[in-house]
Amino acid sequence: MIHEVFESNQFIMLVSLLLIMSVIVTKFSSRLGVPSLVLFIAVGMAVGSDGLNLLYFDNAEVAQIVGIFALIIILFEGGMQTKWKAIQPVIAPSVTLATLGVVLTSSLVGVSAKYILGISWIEALLLGSIVGSTDAAAVFAVLKGKNIRNKLEATLEAESGTNDPMAVFLTISFIQVLTLNETNFMGMVGSFFWQMGGGLAVGLIVGYGASFALNRINLDSSGLYPIFALGFAFLTYGASSLIQASGLLSVYVAAVIIGNAELAYRYSILRFHEGFGWMAQILMFILLGLFVFPSDVFTGPVIMDGLLIALVLIFLARPAATFISLIFFKFTFKEKLFLSWAGLRGAVPIVLAIFPLLADVENSQLMFNIVFFIVIISTLVQGSSITWVAEKLKLVSEKKTNPIHSLELISMGKANVELMQYDVNSRNLIVGQSLENMELPDKALINAIIRNGEVITPYGQTTIQAGDTLYIMVTKRVKKEVKALLEAVSEEEVKENSHNEKNRA
């Protein structure tokens, strides 16, 4: 008994050190220009059996389950941060990239894997299917905080959030061909459409239901609302899985609906899931790093073969799939080139590479090692250079100080009152107005203004300036009216934005 307690205490100490180390690693990742997920994986490999030998982990089932749980959390957090107005114009090209683009990428990678690895055609196409989709965790993490043009950022986020069903469908289909004596191809095609349609339907139903429940059910503490929302995320995946639809797609759809709804406890929900999303990324990538044995992956044959397939994926398969998929959409050559380069691979391919291991597919260990190496190359080469490529192609937008999604609402318990935070810039009509002339509703009051790092006590003659941060106490009933007043811009600004969008198109 004492020995078991001692071992559990050691494990708790090790977990705490890993979490602290991983958070510190994120600071170095931004300075080094390396995506943090690569360093998380490195931490896992360092403490694994081939490193410091502090933890031994080789359970494929646990790795798969933890990976799926983490992906649900990451997709849910990313979906809630996605603005419908941003992705609505690019839904069609994003879905085309998520379906046709994945098929084309998988096919081209599969052909190269056939001749490079010398495996069968079905095994080669299986490997291509595993790395065929971009990864939401990698895309969300790398694009966060970057000033990539809105149209491109929205396209990449929507693609990565919706392309998992095609990759999962192709992977499972080729595994069935390899392991089953008889294969019903028509049934597979019907299964794909059912997964897409069913996942979309469940996501819509749960998303609207969750938005209604989060606004109508009064809980004793505001801290319960983020957990309430998280419960709907897992409910969405579970309900989709029960009807054999795409759980990951339904989670992303539900998250977009919830994130774009008027939530009374938005600030608490978003901040909780942002932190929990980081927690999921750290846990997932460290665990995947533990699951990998560097002595098997970083060998001469795997490095050479993996590098060749990675080069085909990055410089041939992804660009060809992108240009073909977007041939009927209004994207410039530079924009297509950037979308080709920004097709990051991450956790999803590694988790999918575990499927053949669990199914005892021949050469499954070789596939896993190759996929893992491809993911490392993709994140290091593409992930670390996205901003540089965008700047070289002149696809970087000016930094905005008050996008609509930055409006944060702080719940005031059961008082039916919220504190709104809003950053003012030169485009807003309220700039230059005094508080007594702002025409705020009766149930709204500006409590404080932050200007140049100092707190200003507002009074009637105080004039709003660009760069001010306003804190406004407001009741829920007049919240929309206050938001409309704050976000109003001049007619000249509207015309200029419309003109700029037409020029970019």
Side-chain angles (χ1 to χ4, degrees), residues 33 247 257 285 422:
I257 292 172
F285 287 116
Y422 190 74

Side-chain angles (χ1 to χ4, degrees), residues 288-338:
L288 292 176
L290 285 170
F291 185 72
V292 171
F293 289 83
S295 58
D296 294 335
V297 174
F298 299 104
T299 61
V302 172
I303 291 176
M304 289 300 297
D305 295 340
L307 184 60
L308 289 174
I309 298 175
L311 291 175
V312 171
L313 170 64
I314 296 171
F315 293 102
L316 176 61
R318 170 68 180 183
T322 301
F323 276 82
I324 294 173
S325 299
L326 299 179
I327 192 171
F328 296 113
F329 298 100
K330 294 182 178 180
F331 286 86
T332 65
F333 177 82
K334 289 184 177 181
E335 289 174 337
K336 293 178 183 178
L337 198 61
F338 176 78

Side-chain angles (χ1 to χ4, degrees), residues 432-437 449 451 457-464:
Q433 293 186 23
S434 63
L435 299 188
E436 60 186 3
N437 294 327
I449 300 175
R451 180 176 297 166
T457 302
Y459 58 95
Q461 286 73 41
T462 302
T463 302
I464 302 297

